Amino acid sequence: MMKIQIINGANLNLLGTREPHIYGNQSFEAFFEKLQSQYSSIELYCFQSNNEVEIIEKIHQVQQYDGLIINGGAYSHTSIAIADALRSVAVPHIVEVHISNVFNREDFRKKSYIAQACSGSICGLGLDGYRLAIEHIVHCRTLI
């Protein structure tokens, strides 16, 4: 069975209440339940932490997974350590997701260290970006 890990970084535990005009009003937990139902043939796992070290440790644990979806939150724009951790694992498909359009926000958000370690990035499509990342990983695996 295919295994995909989703990792959410800083402040993403507040989805549903944090700046709903940017991030929407649905919690990630509720959205993740829908993903699990929609993709019942895939083992989907979700991890969230506001701690950079915990995110790095979780990345190190996904060596045998088919895909990794990461939304580093603000760490995307600051963490060389998370980017290095992504480069150090043998996960065939790593996709960066941002709920908001980071290119339509503050200048510091336009540079992502994490994106440089990923096979692709999805931004500005809301929570649907996670579903699209799953579809991409599934599609790439069927091409092998």
Side-chain angles (χ1 to χ4, degrees):
M1 181 176 276
M2 181 179 248
K3 292 169 66 171
I4 299 174
Q5 175 72 54
I6 297 171
I7 297 176
N8 282 329
N11 299 310
L12 292 168
N13 57 308
L14 299 176
L15 290 177
T17 59
R18 174 190 178 204
E19 299 175 282
H21 63 286
I22 295 174
Y23 299 103
N25 56 11
Q26 184 175 28
S27 73
F28 193 81
E29 293 79 10
F31 175 72
F32 186 67
E33 286 180 18
K34 291 177 187 175
L35 283 179
Q36 286 180 306
S37 176
Q38 184 176 357
Y39 295 98
S40 59
S41 64
I42 299 172
E43 289 183 43
L44 287 176
Y45 300 93
C46 181
F47 175 80
Q48 189 282 324
S49 179
N50 295 316
N51 184 312
E52 184 178 25
V53 173
E54 291 177 359
I55 292 168
I56 292 167
E57 303 251 343
K58 181 52 86 173
I59 292 167
H60 291 169
Q61 295 171 9
V62 299
Q63 291 284 353
Q64 303 304 315
Y65 284 48
D66 300 289
L68 170 60
I69 299 166
I70 184 161
N71 182 341
Y75 287 132
S76 301
H77 318 291
T78 63
S79 182
I80 295 168
I82 291 175
D84 285 347
L86 291 169
R87 286 185 189 94
S88 71
V89 295
V91 177
H93 305 288
I94 302 174
V95 180
E96 177 188 42
V97 169
H98 288 285
I99 297 165
S100 69
N101 182 351
V102 294
F103 299 104
N104 195 24
R105 297 187 62 196
E106 304 91 343
D107 283 343
F108 71 87
R109 295 187 195 274
K110 295 175 183 171
K111 167 87 171 163
S112 170
Y113 292 106
I114 290 175
Q116 297 170 20
C118 296
S119 56
S121 296
I122 299 170
C123 74
L125 301 178
L127 291 174
D128 198 40
Y130 292 92
R131 182 191 61 77
L132 293 169
I134 292 168
E135 289 291 331
H136 171 74
I137 292 167
V138 168
H139 175 73
C140 287
R141 183 153 186 243
T142 61
L143 294 176
I144 298 174

